[in-house]
Amino acid sequence: MRGKFFDFTDDPWKHVGNEQEAARFLPDGLLVIEDGIIVAFGPFADIAGDHPDLEITVIDDRIITPGFIDGHVHVPQTRVLGAFGQQLLPWLNDTVFPEEARYSDHAYAREGSERFFENVLAGGTTTVQAFTTTSPVATEEFFEAASRRNMLVIGGVTGIDQFAPETSTSSPEQFYADSKAMIEKYHGKGRNRYAITPRFALGATPELLLACQRLKQEHPDAWVNTHISENPLEITNVLRAHPDCTDYLGVYEKYGLVGPKFSGGHAIWLSDNEFGRMSDSGAAVVFCPCSNLFLGSGIFRLGKATDPDRRVKMSFGTDMGGGNRFSMINVLDEAYKVGMLGNTLLDGSTNRITQDLAQSERSKLSPYRAFWSVTLGGAEGLYIDDEVGSFEVGKAADFVALDWNAGPTAMPWHESLFVDEAGPTTMEEAAHVLFSIMMVGDDRNVDETWVAGVRLYKKD
């Protein structure tokens, strides 16, 4: 593949004031792929001569980045995204649980999974960590649909045994048995990865959490995917349901679930102490700004999560259908706005007592911080950066070609402020283009999506 490539070799938050040092831009690069794996990457002039007999596919007038990684999304909410007007708990009961119950039917779950992957690929997403339902049918169809596309995915049977309709729950014993069967069938098979998935602490009795603990002990290489501290009322009810725990994270800690490969979605209302414990353990948070705003859940503390003294691993997620878009470009748009609110709350202009200028600055989402977060940073947060997230040799050739002139009709005129018709030729110009895409554009800017060297989406 020949074209303009942009990826990352480091975390931009480690290079405050000089974030371009974490990035890599090749205005004329060559990506050599064999059996879906990157075997060479660099400037075209440097490496083309080493591969004289290979057919070269040229992607003109596009900027090519690693495929986007969605760290938190719900497959069975595909049909109900954008349901009107409620906060988390009533929204679940009135809209989400009835739809998820339909995924116990193979035909319905198959159609829903197909539609889900069609939409995420159209948005440039090549990897997801996803929730299914309590029914193993939904998990089977999720993994099968991903396998047909050779996509790297993380998922598992959802565990919930209280505070939900009977059609959306299962017993701890059934959850354990279903999880064991799905781990045996799918974990590590192809690009499938299994996540032990307690939906959230409020929906889990001690018996269900003990089943999760047993699964993690028996399968220590499995992931743990859940929700944490999303909504104030939820947190109050969690502590009532688990009165021996003093905070939300403590519920998961009690059962040995917190550590590497643990992801807590949302994490809006985590205390400083909880952030510190997550940092120490190697656990990750998943920032879901579209959902946090849509459901009125709160403002994620981006500057706190990126504290260099107690850094927490982090990926970004759509949380579709609480989030009302499939596109990680839309996630970056909303994440920027949330970050700017955090910047204002911490810069001393509203409250001198809580002023923290360093944290305020870290809340601002530059194009470097943004695109790192949905590529290499997202991969690091999910512990899959040895497989995806950048154009390093040995990783899968999962990438997206972005059209910087697509989107609103004013986009080409806007881009002409920074680049001529040939497109970006420098790192600075490339960053301008990417920032324009994330703030002015949308998934219409996604022209092609490739997974393991195979093009699975091309815009008509």
Side-chain angles (χ1 to χ4, degrees):
M1 313 298 302
R2 183 179 185 180
K4 299 179 184 293
F5 291 88
F6 190 102
D7 73 339
F8 294 88
T9 58
D10 201 2
D11 173 0
W13 268 285
K14 295 179 181 178
H15 300 268
V16 175
N18 202 19
E19 294 175 18
Q20 68 273 12
E21 287 191 355
R24 174 170 52 181
F25 175 60
L26 303 182
D28 185 17
L30 189 69
L31 187 75
V32 183
I33 305 163
E34 182 177 348
D35 295 329
I37 302 298
I38 298 168
V39 298
F41 177 65
F44 179 84
D46 292 351
I47 64 172
D50 297 333
H51 307 277
D53 300 324
L54 292 184
E55 177 184 352
I56 296 177
T57 298
V58 179
I59 300 182
D60 284 323
D61 302 323
R62 305 290 183 264
I63 189 165
I64 304 167
T65 74
F68 302 146
I69 297 168
D70 188 340
H72 186 108
V73 65
H74 293 256
V75 178
Q77 295 177 20
T78 298
R79 196 174 186 181
V80 296
L81 80 166
F84 170 72
Q86 300 187 84
Q87 292 197 348
L88 176 64
L89 298 180
W91 172 79
L92 286 170
N93 285 307
D94 293 350
T95 300
V96 171
F97 288 142
E99 174 62 14
E100 291 188 354
R102 297 184 176 100
Y103 277 70
S104 60
D105 175 76
H106 268 290
Y108 195 90
R110 186 174 302 120
E111 179 182 6
S113 296
E114 286 293 312
R115 290 180 181 273
F116 170 81
F117 282 111
E118 289 168 3
N119 277 280
V120 298
L121 287 165
T125 297
T126 54
T127 290
V128 297
Q129 177 175 245
F131 290 81
T132 58
T133 75
T134 54
S135 169
V137 168
T139 301
E140 287 177 338
E141 294 298 344
F142 164 71
F143 280 129
E144 293 294 338
S147 297
R148 287 192 288 273
R149 296 163 170 84
N150 197 23
M151 294 175 68
L152 173 57
V153 297
I154 304 169
V157 175
T158 300
I160 180 171
D161 66 340
Q162 63 179 2
F163 300 119
E166 185 176 344
T167 53
S168 295
T169 62
S170 63
S171 70
E173 296 78 14
Q174 189 64 54
F175 167 74
Y176 175 82
D178 290 339
S179 298
K180 290 289 285 188
M182 293 295 100
I183 289 170
E184 176 67 24
K185 187 173 183 179
Y186 291 110
H187 185 46
K189 307 298 173 61
R191 302 186 76 191
N192 296 321
R193 308 289 181 264
Y194 197 86
I196 302 160
T197 311
R199 186 171 193 136
F200 61 155
L202 180 60
T205 62
E207 291 75 21
L208 181 65
L209 291 167
L210 281 169
C212 293
Q213 182 179 38
R214 182 181 172 190
L215 288 165
K216 183 62 176 175
Q217 290 170 343
E218 293 170 350
H219 304 279
D221 64 331
W223 279 252
V224 177
N225 182 30
T226 189
H227 297 77
I228 190 168
S229 296
E230 179 178 0
N231 176 280
L233 180 59
E234 170 210 7
I235 297 167
T236 298
N237 290 333
V238 163
L239 297 181
R240 287 174 179 165
H242 298 274
D244 57 332
C245 296
T246 59
D247 57 33
Y248 205 129
L249 183 64
V251 178
Y252 298 128
E253 289 174 327
K254 179 180 177 181
Y255 296 94
L257 301 176
V258 179
K261 294 188 176 180
F262 172 94
S263 292
H266 302 286
I268 301 166
W269 300 100
L270 287 182
S271 66
D272 289 356
N273 185 270
E274 287 172 291
F275 267 117
R277 282 150 49 204
M278 292 193 78
S279 173
D280 292 343
S281 71
V285 297
V286 188
F287 178 24
C288 305
C290 298
S291 171
N292 298 345
L293 296 174
F294 183 81
L295 296 175
S297 300
I299 302 298
F300 177 73
R301 295 195 290 160
L302 185 58
K304 181 61 183 179
T306 53
D307 182 344
D309 294 328
R310 303 294 293 277
R311 183 62 185 274
V312 179
K313 288 183 176 292
M314 177 175 60
S315 59
F316 284 19
T318 60
D319 192 33
M320 190 286 307
N324 57 326
R325 296 288 188 274
F326 287 94
S327 169
M328 296 305 293
I329 294 174
N330 291 117
V331 168
L332 293 181
D333 174 13
E334 300 299 328
Y336 175 83
K337 297 167 186 174
V338 168
M340 290 302 289
L341 286 172
N343 175 259
T344 299
L345 291 171
L346 293 163
D347 67 6
S349 59
T350 60
N351 189 340
R352 299 289 295 179
I353 295 174
T354 59
Q355 183 183 55
D356 186 331
L357 295 179
Q359 189 177 159
S360 178
E361 193 283 330
R362 291 194 303 270
S363 298
K364 298 171 72 173
L365 200 65
S366 70
Y368 298 104
R369 294 172 177 180
F371 279 88
W372 176 82
S373 296
V374 299
T375 57
L376 182 58
E380 290 179 359
L382 298 179
Y383 287 85
I384 53 174
D385 51 300
D386 59 330
E387 300 184 78
V388 293
S390 69
F391 294 124
E392 291 298 320
V393 170
K395 294 187 180 183
D398 295 354
F399 58 90
V400 56
L402 300 172
D403 179 357
W404 57 81
N405 285 318
T409 56
M411 194 70 159
W413 193 45
H414 169 76
E415 295 288 32
S416 68
L417 285 169
F418 312 109
V419 297
D420 60 24
E421 291 184 0
T425 60
T426 67
M427 177 78 74
E428 183 180 12
E429 290 177 348
H432 275 302
V433 163
L434 289 172
F435 190 71
S436 296
I437 289 172
M438 91 185 218
M439 297 310 302
V440 184
D442 50 35
D443 56 3
R444 288 175 292 177
N445 293 93
V446 175
D447 186 57
E448 302 180 29
T449 304
W450 295 67
V451 172
V454 177
R455 189 174 68 191
L456 295 187
Y457 171 77
K458 178 72 172 76
K459 185 169 62 179
D460 293 335

